[in-house]
Amino acid sequence: MIAHISKLGEKQSLKEHSTHVSELCSDFAEIADVSAMAKLIGLLHDMGKGTESFQMYLKWMAENGNDKPLPGNIKHHNHAPTGAIFVYERWFCNGENIIQKITAQIMILCIYGHHTGLMDCADGDDPLHFQTLLEQDKTVICYQEAVDYYLNNIADKAYLDQLFEMACEEFAQKISVLALTDFPIDKNGRIARRDFQLGMMTRYLLSVLIDADRWDSACFEYGRDAMRQTDSLPDWACLFERYEIYARERFTGTGHLDQIRQEISDQCLKKAEGKSGIYRLSVPTGGGKTFASLRFALKHAEQNRQHRIFYVIPYNTILDQNAKDIREALNQYEGILEHHSNVMIDGDTEKEKLHYRQLTERWDSNIILTSMVQFLNALFRKENTNARRMHRLANAVLIFDEIQALPRHCKGLFERAVTFLTTCCHSTVLLCTATQLELKLPVKPEELMGTENDLEELNRNLKRVEYLPQIECRKTNQEAVDSLCTLLR
């Protein structure tokens, strides 16, 4: 049985594709400590392709493409439900405890939705929508034929049961972490937030599966080895040294403002040695937040062995300027990616456009500058194109500049996303602004600039504008008018 046929007629076996995706899923999800569950999801995701009916469809499509209608003897059935139904019948319905049930349900949702997105488990007309989908007429999708082929040729029941047991043990540890993400609010709120975190974990695993599946398929099409894909740590120490050289050559001023900016930068560097978590950088405009936060991020990522640095900014004009500054500070480092609507691709060739699209589809760079819209899309939009990027936010330093501009209606989603990324994915969040928001988070963010007294003193030292009461402004304006009238006479 085959999984794909390339444009050149090369064939990838179903066993090879399933094994590749399984291993990639395991590698990607190791960061969040759910590699066994991800491995099993990857292994089962294309079980439904193991039927003669689907094989006929693949071969006909390879020869004829999408332009012609399917002939009467060729039918296309959705292959995703097969693996999901297998998990439902073998482990969900027979689950002996809540851990087994939840583990199985998360796997079902990911496998079923790896092309269409996560399903609604209930709707107004069908409260048991989840059960209805999984108890459909299995003859339509040639279920038993697919399962028999899979168990005889790809992985047997004993191996799958062993993997599922490992996934449950793994998830039992993970759910204890999720239980710690409750907030000191009313009982209903705590339950809702814990359930929300389970939903985020499901989407994270879906993201891992989508990326592994599409990456292996693309590598096969273009003749590359998908298993050579490594998510190795960047040389943060080298990048940090690049920045230090730039700063020594660029920031040579000795004025009062220059000294304050240097003190802010040094304080950020000192705090960068801390563990991953939630931090705040409350510095007024003109205090050098961009470079101070970059210095913090480079050293912090090295200290905590984190894979990426994200700058998430609400305004494209600031994104453009920050990208320019960071590229200059890091000597035009190639691993910097901008992903927002203002990006203009250098060059007009199809190869350059394809390369940029591949980078943005996966956020496959070391330093990513993106908008708050793209960040929230990766976490919450239904389309799998957006969901694919989500797992890249794990084990990363996430810098949110001008966080006070976060739309009010997105505040709750942002709080819960930050909670998940910091407690379950080992990421660090840095909230940068002169005027911090009141956010409900599992822990109080650590202020990089010290105590409230330290912040008050910093604000006084950086104060560059005097505000006059409105009545005094009117008086001053009238005096200017009188003086002008006197001159004109």
Side-chain angles (χ1 to χ4, degrees):
M1 296 289 183
I2 57 176
H4 300 109
I5 302 175
S6 72
K7 293 178 180 178
L8 298 176
E10 299 289 333
K11 297 177 181 179
Q12 183 185 37
S13 72
L14 181 56
K15 183 172 184 177
E16 179 184 274
H17 177 63
S18 299
T19 304
H20 283 184
V21 173
S22 178
E23 293 301 323
L24 288 169
C25 282
S26 179
D27 290 346
F28 292 160
E30 187 176 359
I31 291 171
D33 307 312
V34 285
S35 58
M37 194 191 307
K39 184 173 186 174
L40 186 51
I41 289 170
L43 198 56
L44 294 171
H45 81 288
D46 270 356
M47 178 184 272
K49 288 185 175 181
T51 68
E52 288 299 329
S53 174
F54 199 84
Q55 296 299 302
M56 289 172 63
Y57 166 77
L58 283 178
K59 292 172 184 176
W60 192 90
M61 291 295 293
E63 294 172 1
N64 299 278
N66 296 316
D67 297 334
K68 299 179 181 179
L70 293 173
N73 64 326
I74 304 288
K75 293 183 179 179
H76 172 240
H77 63 252
N78 184 7
H79 65 273
T82 303
I85 294 171
F86 178 83
V87 175
Y88 176 73
E89 293 183 345
R90 186 159 189 83
W91 297 309
F92 182 84
C93 294
N94 297 316
E96 298 176 356
N97 55 57
I98 190 65
I99 294 294
Q100 291 179 350
K101 294 259 186 197
I102 294 177
T103 302
Q105 186 176 23
I106 290 175
M107 291 174 56
I108 291 165
L109 292 169
C110 293
I111 294 170
Y112 200 101
H114 76 271
H115 285 296
T116 58
L118 295 175
M119 70 166 81
D120 290 329
C121 290
D123 62 32
D125 298 325
D126 183 6
L128 300 177
H129 188 59
F130 173 80
Q131 184 176 337
T132 301
L133 290 174
L134 296 167
E135 294 179 356
Q136 61 181 271
D137 181 2
K138 294 185 291 187
T139 60
V140 176
I141 58 174
C142 307
Y143 174 80
Q144 199 56 53
E145 180 189 353
V147 171
D148 290 343
Y149 175 83
Y150 185 91
L151 296 176
N152 290 325
N153 296 277
I154 298 177
D156 60 27
K157 289 181 181 179
Y159 178 65
L160 296 176
D161 287 340
Q162 180 185 7
L163 266 183
F164 182 72
E165 185 178 346
M166 292 170 60
C168 290
E169 292 173 359
E170 188 179 67
F171 192 65
Q173 298 295 320
K174 203 65 185 178
I175 205 167
S176 66
V177 175
L178 292 172
L180 299 176
T181 63
D182 285 347
F183 291 72
I185 55 176
D186 62 272
K187 182 178 179 181
N188 290 334
R190 286 200 296 272
I191 293 173
R193 285 175 184 267
R194 186 181 300 177
D195 289 347
F196 189 93
Q197 298 303 312
L198 286 173
M200 294 298 288
M201 178 56 69
T202 305
R203 184 176 172 92
Y204 172 83
L205 285 162
L206 175 70
S207 172
V208 165
L209 175 58
I210 296 166
D211 194 26
D213 184 24
R214 294 186 181 182
W215 175 252
D216 183 65
S217 300
C219 286
F220 171 71
E221 181 65 43
Y222 293 105
R224 302 173 187 170
D225 182 2
M227 304 314 295
R228 292 187 63 186
Q229 161 74 1
T230 56
D231 200 14
S232 58
L233 286 171
D235 191 345
W236 295 123
C238 178
L239 288 173
F240 178 77
E241 186 56 34
R242 283 193 191 186
Y243 173 78
E244 292 294 284
I245 293 171
Y246 172 82
R248 286 194 295 268
E249 294 175 350
R250 175 74 178 272
F251 305 129
T252 56
T254 57
H256 177 64
L257 184 58
D258 297 311
Q259 292 178 3
I260 294 175
R261 286 174 173 167
Q262 188 60 49
E263 290 170 4
I264 292 170
S265 180
D266 290 343
Q267 181 68 7
C268 287
L269 180 60
K270 180 180 177 181
K271 292 286 187 177
E273 297 179 359
K275 296 180 180 179
S276 61
I278 307 176
Y279 296 85
R280 298 195 321 183
L281 179 57
S282 306
V283 172
T285 301
K289 288 195 297 295
T290 299
F291 289 122
S293 62
L294 176 62
R295 201 180 188 202
F296 168 88
L298 292 170
K299 179 58 71 172
H300 189 79
E302 178 192 1
Q303 178 81 15
N304 292 282
R305 297 183 59 79
Q306 290 163 311
H307 284 77
R308 286 172 187 80
I309 295 171
F310 283 85
Y311 272 85
V312 183
I313 304 173
Y315 307 117
N316 285 350
T317 51
I318 299 177
L319 266 171
D320 290 334
Q321 184 59 48
N322 281 11
K324 179 176 178 295
D325 292 341
I326 291 170
R327 288 182 193 279
E328 184 179 339
L330 298 181
N331 194 24
Q332 304 303 318
Y333 174 57
E334 292 182 354
I336 298 174
L337 172 68
E338 293 180 66
H339 183 206
H340 54 91
S341 58
N342 274 10
V343 172
M344 300 294 291
I345 304 170
D346 292 334
D348 296 322
T349 67
E350 287 301 318
K351 184 177 179 180
E352 290 166 326
K353 292 177 182 178
L354 175 63
H355 179 63
Y356 177 75
R357 186 168 69 249
Q358 288 174 338
L359 291 176
T360 54
E361 282 176 351
R362 307 185 71 215
W363 277 346
D364 190 15
S365 291
N366 303 134
I367 300 175
I368 296 109
L369 293 101
T370 193
S371 64
M372 181 63 75
V373 171
Q374 292 292 352
F375 170 76
L376 293 174
N377 282 351
L379 289 157
F380 299 114
R381 275 195 70 97
K382 179 179 179 358
E383 298 86 359
N384 281 354
T385 301
N386 292 290
R388 180 181 183 182
R389 303 183 186 105
M390 178 186 172
H391 77 99
R392 298 294 186 170
L393 296 167
N395 197 37
V397 181
L398 309 171
I399 300 171
F400 295 93
D401 200 4
E402 304 294 347
I403 190 59
Q404 83 285 349
L406 177 72
R408 182 176 298 179
H409 64 277
C410 296
K411 185 168 174 285
L413 292 176
F414 179 80
E415 291 167 346
R416 298 180 186 193
V418 165
T419 298
F420 174 75
L421 292 170
T422 54
T423 57
C424 297
C425 299
H426 310 295
S427 292
T428 293
V429 164
L430 178 59
L431 306 169
C432 299
T433 180
T435 52
Q436 291 286 350
L437 287 175
E438 287 298 324
L439 296 171
K440 293 179 181 178
L441 298 169
V443 295
K444 183 179 180 181
E446 180 179 348
E447 175 57 60
L448 297 186
M449 301 316 299
T451 65
E452 289 297 325
N453 290 335
D454 295 328
L455 291 178
E456 289 178 6
E457 182 180 356
L458 180 63
N459 277 280
R460 284 195 299 270
N461 291 335
L462 284 173
K463 188 175 181 180
R464 292 183 292 172
V465 177
E466 290 290 338
Y467 291 96
L468 296 175
Q470 192 174 20
I471 189 169
E472 290 190 20
C473 291
R474 287 175 178 172
K475 180 179 178 182
T476 302
N477 289 340
Q478 187 58 50
E479 288 174 352
V481 171
D482 292 343
S483 299
L484 179 61
C485 290
T486 299
L487 289 172
L488 291 174
R489 293 193 191 102

